[in-house]
Structures are given as structure tokens and as C-alpha cells.
Amino acid sequence: MRGVLKLLRDLTGCVRIVSLHVAGRIGLDDPCDTGRLWGNICAFAGFLHGSKRVRFQVEPEFNEAVFELDGQGEIRIIPFFLFLPAARFVLSPSTLRAAWAASRRTG
């Protein structure tokens, strides 16, 4: 599990958000469910808050079920930089042991 988390962290380092703008309203039938969803959205948006390139303006709607989002953005991914983290993960001893154990079970 630690290797998978390291892979995800390394892959996110290879992605550059040039600009991201999201605006809209989100609401569910039950206001309690809307509040729970809104809490999760705010936790995620907290990671993006410090960046000047990201504008996240989504509001909760407690009176009706609604899902309206409008967004645009530019994200840069350079495939060459994805190769090293992927190769490090695939060739790691724990991944090779897991692949060997899986192949022995099926064979």
C-alpha cells in the first residue's frame, strides 16, 4: 500500500495545473446529505485554496436537488516525466513479489 501511495504522490508531481476555474451549485434531496457532501467538497477544495491558478466557486443548495457545474482549465502532463515513477513502482521488490505470488496462484 505504501508503494501505491508513493506512486500517486509521484504522479501528481508530474501534473501541472496551469489554470482551473470551476463554478456552480450542488444540492441533494436531503439537506443532511447535502451538508455531508459539502463537507467533503470543502476538504478537497482546501488543497486548492492557496493557488492563484485555481478558482473554485461552488455553493451548496439546501432547498433543492441540483448539480450545476461549469468549468474550464489547462493541465500540462509531460509523458516522459511519468516514466520514471511508473518504472520505479513496477520494478520495486514489493510489486514484483506481489506479481509473482499472483502468477503462482493462477498457474
Side-chain angles (χ1 to χ4, degrees):
M1 189 62 170
R2 191 175 345 138
V4 173
L5 293 176
K6 182 173 176 9
L7 173 67
L8 292 175
R9 185 179 61 235
D10 290 346
L11 290 179
T12 57
C14 297
V15 176
R16 300 284 180 241
I17 297 176
V18 176
S19 67
L20 181 64
H21 305 286
V22 179
R25 300 181 313 146
I26 295 177
L28 302 173
D29 289 333
D30 185 3
C32 180
D33 292 337
T34 300
R36 287 182 183 165
L37 176 63
W38 185 245
N40 289 323
I41 290 171
C42 287
F44 173 73
F47 290 110
L48 305 174
H49 182 66
S51 176
K52 294 180 181 177
R53 299 175 184 168
V54 177
R55 189 174 66 212
F56 191 76
Q57 298 173 325
V58 178
E59 300 174 356
E61 179 61 55
F62 293 101
N63 297 326
E64 63 179 322
V66 63
F67 187 80
E68 295 175 356
L69 287 179
D70 182 34
Q72 72 179 57
E74 182 179 343
I75 298 174
R76 290 193 184 144
I77 301 172
I78 301 173
F80 178 75
F81 292 130
L82 297 174
F83 177 74
L84 184 61
R88 214 179 302 155
F89 175 74
V90 170
L91 298 176
S92 72
S94 57
T95 304
L96 293 174
R97 278 193 304 271
W100 178 255
S103 69
R104 292 188 49 111
R105 286 185 191 164
T106 59

